[in-house]
Amino acid sequence: MEYYITQCIAGFFCFNENLDLSNYKLFKEEEIADNLLKIEENEILSEEIELINDIIANDNEAEIFIETTKRLSQYKNLKESEISIEIKTPNKGGDYLRENLESILDSIGFNTSREKLSEIYEKLAILKIKKSSQEEDKLLIQAINSVDDLDESISKLIERIRDWYTVYFPEMDTITNNETYIKMIAESENREDIIKNYPEHFKSTFSAGADIEDEDILMLKSFASSLYALQNSRAELEDYIDKKMEDIAPNLRDLLGASLGAKLIAHIGSIKQLATYPASVIQIMGAEKAIFRHLKTGERPPKHGLIFQHPQVRGAKWWNRGKVARTLALKITLAVRKDVFSGEYDPNIARDFLEKVEKIEKENPFPKKTKQRRTKERENEKANRKGKPKKYKGNKKNKKNKKKRRK
């Protein structure tokens, strides 16, 4: 006999081929929301296993059709030689349950009041929010966004302190590294102390800067100390991001580096969402303005977005950059999907990408003239010719008149 297994808010139900309710397993009242969340995540619940085992015990020649999004391999431990288990979505039992849901639930004594149902779905919503906020990639996204904010703030404040400190010690402008610049001010009492501690940076022991009060020097030192602390916080955040990426997405980290990989995840919202995108979208991710400009004005579409920050793309020759970006995008899709669905680290992904980039550069040492470029060159030549001043050539009538006058 054929049996159709389906589920709803109350639990799992089994209908025979005549659509009679043959058996059911209800959820415990306090576990309904938890079980519904587990079903959404494709987990097999104990209630479903008990229901299938009851069918097998009562009918050795049963044909079981399960309405689910789970894979058949998850039920392999339940299969026996004479029992047929198939996944059929939707199936007759599921359609019948949805059409007669209220009457079936009332017949088994399940409370279908609005208050009860709203309470269950409210709890389910809270559980989803809680689980979403517990995902590690949410913490990673906040960390990489914090790094971007710190970079913006630090760069502005460094410009300010450079302008300010130049009044007191103009010779410090020779130090181009911002971290060294701030460290020297934060760890020294005054300009004399800086010259003494770092003599290799200064030719003279005297400064042409203005003599200012001690309280002004203290204020500058305090400001530099605050900036130095921000720089240290940024370094700690980078270490934190690197460790998080190693746990969450080791293949993506190996391919792109921790910072760029985290930026891609942050741009989409989660690593699971990133795993659903094709390589063509990942390639131009972050270049949305250029895409809309292309659609609006017909300009050339962008070849890359955020992935331009990768050294292999940024350092590629201009005629190879599109090919390298496309190759990288394909490898990103492979790396992300491996991180999400298997979690296994595969060093061959990054190695294979580098080999392909090397092959692209060897095969294309010089730019190739495409048809588009040739036509553009011809158009430019014509435009240049048109732009040259032409010799005046009179009309045929004017020439005839001139000849007559000469005669």
Side-chain angles (χ1 to χ4, degrees):
M1 184 177 280
E2 293 180 355
Y3 295 91
Y4 299 92
I5 294 175
T6 185
Q7 59 85 24
C8 69
I9 191 172
F12 287 91
F13 292 80
C14 177
F15 297 90
N16 60 25
E17 56 191 22
N18 299 320
L19 295 178
D20 296 325
L21 183 63
S22 60
N23 200 355
Y24 59 89
K25 298 290 179 183
L26 299 180
F27 299 138
K28 294 178 182 177
E29 190 173 337
E30 64 276 8
E31 295 177 359
I32 290 176
D34 292 318
N35 288 338
L36 292 175
L37 188 61
K38 287 176 183 177
I39 289 167
E40 285 186 14
E41 293 173 352
N42 288 335
E43 287 188 33
I44 296 180
L45 304 184
S46 58
E47 288 83 359
E48 186 178 11
I49 294 169
E50 287 175 17
L51 191 58
I52 293 169
N53 286 331
D54 286 350
I55 296 168
I56 293 169
N58 295 327
D59 190 350
N60 290 327
E61 298 179 357
E63 291 182 35
I64 302 172
F65 297 94
I66 302 170
E67 186 181 47
T68 180
T69 56
K70 294 185 274 290
R71 295 185 298 274
L72 188 60
S73 59
Q74 292 176 269
Y75 297 93
K76 62 183 178 182
N77 295 330
L78 300 170
K79 292 186 85 175
E80 294 183 6
S81 57
E82 297 178 0
I83 297 297
S84 171
I85 298 177
E86 294 181 25
I87 291 175
K88 192 173 182 182
T89 307
N91 64 35
K92 289 198 299 184
D95 293 338
Y96 180 76
L97 177 64
R98 285 184 285 276
E99 288 171 6
N100 305 279
L101 182 62
E102 195 170 346
S103 59
I104 290 170
L105 292 180
D106 287 338
S107 66
I108 62 173
F110 185 81
N111 185 2
T112 57
S113 64
R114 281 189 179 179
E115 291 80 9
K116 182 65 180 175
L117 295 176
S118 62
E119 183 185 339
I120 292 168
Y121 284 113
E122 185 180 348
K123 189 178 178 183
L124 179 62
I126 291 168
L127 286 172
K128 283 183 178 180
I129 293 167
K130 188 177 180 181
K131 185 159 189 184
S132 176
S133 62
Q134 284 176 341
E135 291 176 357
E136 289 190 358
D137 56 359
K138 302 295 180 189
L139 302 173
L140 178 68
I141 289 166
Q142 294 301 323
I144 195 65
N145 289 338
S146 300
V147 168
D148 290 339
D149 293 340
L150 275 175
D151 284 339
E152 189 178 349
S153 302
I154 288 169
S155 63
K156 286 181 179 178
L157 292 171
I158 283 172
E159 284 180 18
R160 177 60 56 204
I161 197 170
R162 276 183 176 273
D163 292 340
W164 193 357
Y165 209 75
T166 301
V167 177
Y168 174 59
F169 193 11
E171 289 79 9
M172 282 279 284
D173 276 344
T174 57
I175 295 156
T176 54
N177 187 288
N178 289 327
E179 290 182 7
T180 306
Y181 187 93
I182 299 301
K183 185 181 178 182
M184 288 166 70
I185 300 171
E187 294 181 348
S188 305
E189 296 299 326
N190 48 41
R191 63 189 175 194
E192 288 78 15
D193 198 15
I194 293 172
I195 294 169
K196 184 181 176 182
N197 294 334
Y198 306 94
E200 67 276 8
H201 292 287
F202 307 101
K203 294 178 181 179
S204 174
T205 56
F206 299 99
S207 173
D211 294 327
I212 59 176
E213 300 293 332
D214 289 343
E215 61 180 358
D216 299 323
I217 297 170
L218 283 172
M219 189 66 248
L220 283 166
K221 186 179 181 329
S222 175
F223 186 30
S225 299
S226 300
L227 264 174
Y228 189 51
L230 282 176
Q231 288 175 337
N232 289 334
S233 296
R234 189 195 181 285
E236 289 172 5
L237 272 172
E238 280 191 331
D239 292 338
Y240 171 79
I241 288 165
D242 189 60
K243 288 175 185 175
K244 277 287 177 189
M245 283 294 292
E246 192 174 2
D247 294 337
I248 298 168
N251 292 298
L252 189 64
R253 171 183 171 270
D254 190 32
L255 181 64
L256 296 181
S259 181
L260 181 54
K263 282 179 182 178
L264 271 179
I265 293 170
H267 189 78
I268 293 302
S270 74
I271 190 170
K272 288 180 181 177
Q273 281 183 306
L274 185 62
T276 63
Y277 282 87
S280 57
V281 177
I282 289 173
Q283 183 179 341
I284 55 173
M285 202 171 280
E288 285 79 8
K289 287 183 180 178
I291 294 164
F292 290 125
R293 189 165 58 247
H294 157 68
L295 295 171
K296 189 176 180 180
T297 63
E299 289 184 19
R300 281 188 177 185
K303 292 180 181 178
H304 37 63
L306 282 169
I307 61 172
F308 180 73
Q309 297 175 28
H310 194 280
Q312 293 297 333
V313 179
R314 190 174 62 249
K317 293 168 185 175
W318 62 265
W319 60 86
N320 289 331
R321 203 168 282 156
K323 293 183 183 115
V324 174
R326 191 159 48 251
T327 306
L328 179 59
L330 287 165
K331 291 297 175 184
I332 289 169
T333 55
L334 178 62
V336 172
R337 288 169 188 176
K338 204 145 198 171
D339 288 330
V340 171
F341 300 114
S342 72
E344 294 177 3
Y345 172 63
D346 186 2
N348 294 322
I349 296 173
R351 196 181 302 127
D352 188 39
F353 167 68
L354 294 174
E355 288 173 2
K356 286 190 175 180
V357 170
E358 191 177 347
K359 187 179 177 183
I360 289 167
E361 288 175 350
K362 281 183 180 178
E363 290 177 353
N364 303 278
F366 303 106
K368 293 178 182 178
K369 284 189 176 181
T370 59
K371 289 182 180 178
Q372 201 172 17
R373 280 189 65 207
R374 284 171 189 163
T375 52
K376 280 201 169 184
E377 284 176 3
R378 286 171 189 166
E379 285 173 5
N380 290 334
E381 285 175 8
K382 286 178 183 177
N384 291 333
R385 285 173 193 166
K386 287 178 183 177
K388 290 179 181 177
K390 294 180 181 179
K391 292 180 180 179
Y392 176 74
K393 293 180 180 180
N395 296 332
K396 289 181 180 179
K397 288 182 180 179
N398 291 336
K399 287 180 180 179
K400 287 178 181 178
N401 292 332
K402 282 181 183 177
K403 285 179 182 178
K404 284 180 183 178
R405 284 172 190 168
R406 284 173 188 171
K407 287 178 182 178

